[in-house]
Amino acid sequence: MSNDKFVKRDDGAPFNKKSRIGEGGELHQLSDGEGASLTTNQGLPLSDNQNSLKANPHGPVLLEDFILREKITHFDHERIPERIVHARGTGAHGYFELTHSLEQYTTAKILAEVGEKTPVFTRISTVAGGSGSVDTPRDVRGFATKFYTKEGNWDLVGNNVPVFFIQDAIKFPDLVHAIKMEPDRGFPQSATAHDTFWDFISLTPESMHMVMWIMSDRTIPRSLRMIEGFGVHSFRLINESGHPTFVKFHWRPKLGLQSMVWDEAVKIAGADPDFMRRDMFEAIEAGDFPEWDLAVQLFTEEEAEQFPFDHLDATKLIPEELVPLQVVGRMVLDRWPNNFFAETEQVAFCPSHVLPGIDFSNDPLLQGRLFSYLDTQLSRLGSPNFHQIPVNAPKCPFANHQRDGHMQMEQPAGRVAYEPNSLSDNSPHETPKGFNSAAVIEGGSKGRIRPESFADHYSQAKQFFISQSSYEQTHIASALIFELSKVEHVHIREAMVSHLRHISEDLASLVAGGLGFQQIPDASKAESIVQEMPTSLALQVIGNMKDILLGRSVGILIADGSDVVAINAIRNAFYDAGSSVKIIAPKIGNAKLSDDSLIKVDGQLAGTPSVLFDAVAIILSGEEAKALSKEAAAIDFVRDAFGHLKAIAYDEGGRLLLTLANVSDDAGVVGVSSVDKFIAAAMTRQWDREKNIRTLL
């Protein structure tokens, strides 16, 4: 059975490769001499990649089989230690283009040379879950960008939330241990709805501002392309004369903000655990490149002293009304990684990677991160030479006297590996144009103490809550009730409600009622007076959505006999508006429409529920509608779209499914002939519908 031949696939078509069938019936695909030949890692060509070396056909495998040992050994080590946090990530290549110079504030060329395009790699991640967890938990998203500049690599490492849980990095291990799976039971995965997290939070009131953010719609985004990014900390820019200016960095998505509703996020986790990653991949493949503006907040030391909070406290933000944002550039992600492991998994971000003209502030959380991230990469990637991995390597020349180490890829030549020296004419030396720290005068007494200005834990949490729309305030209350209802210990629930009383008595009362409390616990002790701060519309999600269809997707549920005119009208209108369109049917393959033409089906009904779309249309013949009326997936397709506040278009056949799903008419439920109304409704969610379908409202 060793004759070379073409082997046919199940569908009858031949593989386009020369092949043979082995004695055991196994397929051996053969090199044709023009393509690559399979080799060991040392370049030895392989004649058999299907069988181990054995003493006889039924005998033991021999130790001398170095090919087997190399392959298995490499396989056994293919999984490096995953990130403790931010393990689940999606990355892409792109570029940053400066549109407004900050030359008066910094010598960093990337922020001074307008029109310069700098290569970047950006990784967006969940925080709590492991690398195999789902894409849609209620969780903060990490937002990290590596700029490959002419002056070296700059890593801007932040989140999609501008504040953090803690003020000092010494508490970071405690925070993460509390968030992660409880150690005695190994669950829950990628979730904060458990005792250890809320126990820690209840005893750490500095986290209350962050709690408002994570319980808000910010942590259940519709798409990674529709989130903001923040550098979180204050940094310093340093100009030619050495003068420092504080700066905070913001990423603003071109598509605007959009989030899911909680039930939608939960169901997507089951329907498509890779929803966010797939969305990013498909957008880049289609040429709909994700894009963000980079904006900065600039302020002086003197201005910072007048703020009603301490900007060095990472649990605080600077309201945009106090220090307006200035857009200085844009980032476009236009290339998916060639290999997920080599790039997205091995990319190593460190806040300590900065450029001449950019420096750090004394934010104690940032100061700890400067050490922690480098130490993490040494452990995770196994070597101080991780900067030589292509995705981490600078694209500008770099040279120093660091030598050797595990996995050293460079081959430094010459006798000299130190500086200063007199034996080499071309070894690297320091330069006055290199990195210089800000000339800041420091004084005071050494000690383990926080400044009093860090003691206000509730004012900005209150500002965030009162700045939300009524819908978003209700979502925060719902999220708190859901999370705290999972907490077994009553005293933890009571402690959390006592903190909420400093933020909003209405919120505390609503949560207490949802948890079944007979009376509201007394307010916790506030270590600082809770200030009355003005509302800030920039803190909303709903108020910062864009009424556009770019980046959105509509699903059209059809079957044999569906109206071709209605389908084409909706499909063409949504395409013209920049939306993607998917055809969903009971069976995959093709469906025969009313004019006997065939249309390609993109998704099978049971495997492509409405949670995957921003709006849906139901276009069915009367006969097919009756058939689908007995199909739970069809009823759920309509019911979930209505429950998730999405626009729905229907024809006469589709009306039957709406009736069975108990869907009533409102501004977002329209006939298929009203294409313009459907498009207008699909640009947003039907928030007014929510009060009719959720008992908490």
Side-chain angles (χ1 to χ4, degrees), residues 81-140:
E82 73 175 30
R83 292 167 170 86
I84 295 175
V85 288
H86 301 282
R88 171 79 182 183
T90 296
H93 294 274
Y95 64 88
F96 172 75
E97 181 179 16
L98 191 72
T99 57
H100 176 76
S101 178
L102 294 178
E103 188 174 13
Q104 70 183 98
Y105 301 104
T106 179
T107 60
K109 293 180 180 179
I110 189 175
L111 297 177
E113 298 179 350
V114 172
E116 183 74 15
K117 288 188 176 181
T118 300
V120 301
F121 187 88
T122 292
R123 185 178 188 270
I124 303 175
S125 56
T126 55
V127 174
S131 60
S133 58
V134 299
D135 265 351
T136 57
R138 179 180 295 282
D139 200 356
V140 180

Side-chain angles (χ1 to χ4, degrees), residues 502-514:
H502 294 296
I503 296 170
S504 166
E505 288 288 359
D506 289 342
L507 175 62
S509 177
L510 198 57
V511 173

Side-chain angles (χ1 to χ4, degrees), residues 32-44:
D32 59 7
E34 296 181 0
S37 296
L38 197 63
T39 74
T40 68
N41 287 335
Q42 305 305 314
L44 178 69

